[in-house]
Amino acid sequence: MLGSTHGTLTTDFRARVVACGEQPPIAVHGIAAAEGDVDVSGRPLHAAVPDLDRFFRPESVAVVGASDAEGRPNTGITRQLMAWAERVGARLHPVHPTRETVFGMPCVPSVADLPEQVDLAVLLVGDPLPVIEQLADSKVKFAVAFASGFAETGEEGAAAQVRLAQAVEESGLRLLGPNTNLNAFERFRDDLEGPAVALITQSGHQGRPVFAMQELGVRLSHWAPTGNEADLETSDFISYFAGKPEVGAIACYVEGLKDGRSFLLATDRAARAGVPVVAVKVGRTETGARMAASHTGKLTGADDVVDAAMRQFGVVRVNGLDELQDTSALLARARKPVGGAEGVVVYSISGGTGAHFSDLASGAGLKLPVLSEAKQAELHEWIPPYLNVANPVDCGGHPVGDWRGRKIIDAILADPEVGVLICPITGPFPPMSDRLAQDLVDAAEQTDKLVCVVWGSPVGTEDAYRKVLLGSSRVATFRTFSNCITAVRAWTDHHRFTASYSSPFDEAPRVPSPSFRKAQALMRPHQQLS
């Protein structure tokens, strides 16, 4: 179920009663929602944002169940946590009832014996419930539970998860998991610049392709593997990431929404901040919903309702992990449209390629303006007159191999109607494609307009692709027509959405209408209105 601003979004319909005949006072609408603000029904109008700084960058960490015995699963996890703690500058304290040391570090028998109050406790135990109860007295801020066997296993596991959630609420700490993993403690490249993608996944492995984008030069800042979400949920991390200055986009893999109202408040916060949220949401089919329930215990909800809610709050819904990669990367790194120009020009060395791409782009709703006669005449200074340059622009190939190639690119980008230049290179031929790639990168450095390349080689080992295109943070490089079109459409839609976004929570009524009493007087239990 998704909580709307005035009621609960379900697939059921509820009748409204409109009472007339009384002039209401000035309505209490149009007020920016603030922390603690509630609507007429007492529900919050502002997303509560957990302070997760000490989760991602703790000063001290306890590893409960730490081990250095070879062949034990906890040993590898302990080793990885030690490396992570060193990277983030955290002090690490092993906890184990029968060990005096772990990897040479002093080990305490229980959390009650920790030498200091810790920010984060990582629980490598089969049953985290007793440890949560112990942590309540230690004033630990955050805990992570890797253990499985909860809501994803059926009724008995769901009951155990309810008990765990209650213990967490009573303790005052915040819990990630259960049924989560080490993804939050991965090594993130610190040599990449520019806005980053923050990643949220209910399934750890589904985030691997997005995490791997670092190897393509796309910066990642965080990874939140939420698992079963007994406490901390996707919405908490959306709210948190939307306020981080380094985050340019939030990429999500979602199986189910724990609380619809929280999700809407979180995405509203992101929309206000202009931070795009891109999501794969499973459960479109009965089979997908059933698998989600058996994986993280999530009830996926009516897909048409989820889809409508995402559209209302600007969430870009994509169908696959490859689209999640490309769309989140583009939205994170690309600048806003210049002067509102959204026109797309397709420029290629092949007339067939240009026609094919243009057909797909137009069908997807992208605007491909016909270039003016003056602009076409200018392009024909460097392109043979028998080739079409109205859009798509077909240069015939040869001009890209010399000084004319850059002239053509600059002339296209100078057109005030053009906001996006897309160059599909379907069959890279080094004498042409190498210089073309370099000219596109050089031109992108000199413009605020969006420059995209679709590299069609199945090998992808060419320097023009690996070093020139992927080495540029100003050119968006794709491997398929479809992903390029999906990402560019999301880019134009997102900026159009944020430019006119008005939060429905600001318009929610805070006090009852004077007509409320009249409506109440009309209503009688078990009686139907005429």
Side-chain angles (χ1 to χ4, degrees), residues 63-69 71-81 95-96 102-103 123-126 146 182:
V63 181
V64 183
S67 174
D68 58 3
R72 298 293 299 275
N74 283 8
T75 300
I77 297 174
T78 302
R79 191 179 284 118
Q80 185 169 338
L81 288 167
V95 179
H96 195 285
V102 171
F103 289 113
L123 312 183
L124 310 182
V125 295
F146 290 173
L182 279 163

Side-chain angles (χ1 to χ4, degrees), residues 336-528:
K336 294 181 180 180
V338 178
E342 297 180 353
V344 175
V345 168
V346 180
Y347 170 52
S348 72
I349 58 178
S350 162
T353 299
H356 182 198
F357 189 95
S358 299
D359 192 39
L360 296 174
S362 296
L366 293 181
K367 177 184 176 184
L368 274 69
V370 176
L371 297 178
S372 67
E373 292 186 6
K375 180 59 65 176
Q376 293 184 50
E378 182 184 1
L379 292 172
H380 278 307
E381 293 180 24
W382 311 293
I383 296 173
Y386 55 83
L387 294 174
N388 180 24
V389 295
N391 192 13
V393 176
D394 174 15
C395 75
H398 294 292
V400 304
D402 55 39
W403 59 272
R404 293 173 293 173
R406 178 63 189 276
K407 291 283 189 181
I408 295 168
I409 295 169
D410 288 342
I412 294 172
L413 291 172
D415 192 305
E417 287 193 56
V418 175
V420 184
L421 170 62
I422 301 177
C423 184
I425 308 176
T426 49
F429 177 56
M432 294 181 180
S433 57
D434 286 7
R435 179 150 185 171
L436 174 57
Q438 189 63 61
D439 283 344
L440 288 164
V441 167
D442 292 343
E445 295 292 339
Q446 303 298 319
T447 181
D448 288 333
K449 296 184 178 182
L450 179 59
V451 177
C452 302
V453 174
V454 183
W455 187 263
S457 170
V459 180
T461 56
E462 299 84 350
D463 285 348
Y465 172 70
R466 293 274 179 204
K467 295 181 180 179
V468 178
L469 293 175
L470 295 185
S472 169
S473 62
R474 297 290 295 122
V475 171
T477 303
F478 302 88
R479 297 305 301 266
T480 68
F481 285 10
S482 176
N483 279 15
C484 177
I485 291 167
T486 297
V488 172
R489 185 180 59 194
W491 176 76
T492 58
D493 288 349
H494 167 73
H495 289 292
R496 194 182 304 122
F497 171 83
T498 54
S500 60
Y501 181 69
S502 177
S503 173
F505 293 104
D506 290 347
E507 296 298 320
R510 270 72 164 182
V511 295
S513 163
S515 301
F516 177 67
R517 291 189 307 274
K518 289 195 172 186
Q520 277 190 316
L522 289 171
M523 304 299 290
R524 295 287 184 273
H526 312 298
Q527 291 184 14
Q528 184 174 356

Side-chain angles (χ1 to χ4, degrees), residues 176-378:
L176 182 70
N179 195 22
T180 185
N181 51 46
L182 279 163
N183 294 153
F185 313 114
E186 287 282 1
R187 178 188 293 274
F188 294 91
R189 286 182 60 176
D190 55 10
D191 60 329
L192 299 175
E193 298 180 352
V197 174
L199 178 59
I200 306 169
T201 59
Q202 288 177 350
S203 170
H205 285 290
Q206 293 295 81
R208 282 285 155 199
V210 179
F211 180 74
M213 288 197 302
Q214 293 180 109
E215 303 310 311
L216 303 179
V218 178
R219 181 185 173 199
L220 264 75
S221 58
H222 306 79
W223 188 351
T226 59
N228 285 19
E229 299 187 350
D231 178 34
L232 288 169
E233 57 181 305
T234 296
S235 302
D236 292 314
F237 289 99
I238 290 175
S239 295
Y240 173 74
F241 292 145
K244 300 300 289 181
E246 69 270 29
V247 173
I250 303 169
C252 308
Y253 172 83
V254 182
E255 293 186 352
L257 298 172
K258 177 182 174 183
D259 183 275
R261 177 78 170 193
S262 296
F263 179 76
L264 298 188
L265 288 169
T267 51
D268 171 68
R269 178 178 173 84
R272 293 173 190 262
V275 178
V277 179
V278 186
V280 170
K281 169 64 177 70
V282 301
R284 290 185 185 274
T285 65
E286 182 180 345
T287 301
R290 185 171 64 250
M291 288 300 296
S294 66
H295 182 224
T296 53
K298 292 297 177 188
L299 299 176
T300 59
D303 191 70
D304 54 349
V305 177
V306 173
D307 206 46
M310 287 185 169
R311 284 197 308 272
Q312 182 182 4
F313 289 90
V315 177
V316 179
R317 189 174 184 181
V318 295
N319 293 317
L321 298 179
D322 59 329
E323 291 182 356
L324 184 65
Q325 283 179 294
D326 285 344
T327 303
S328 61
L330 179 66
L331 287 173
R333 303 167 80 187
R335 303 177 186 182
K336 294 181 180 180
V338 178
E342 297 180 353
V344 175
V345 168
V346 180
Y347 170 52
S348 72
I349 58 178
S350 162
T353 299
H356 182 198
F357 189 95
S358 299
D359 192 39
L360 296 174
S362 296
L366 293 181
K367 177 184 176 184
L368 274 69
V370 176
L371 297 178
S372 67
E373 292 186 6
K375 180 59 65 176
Q376 293 184 50
E378 182 184 1

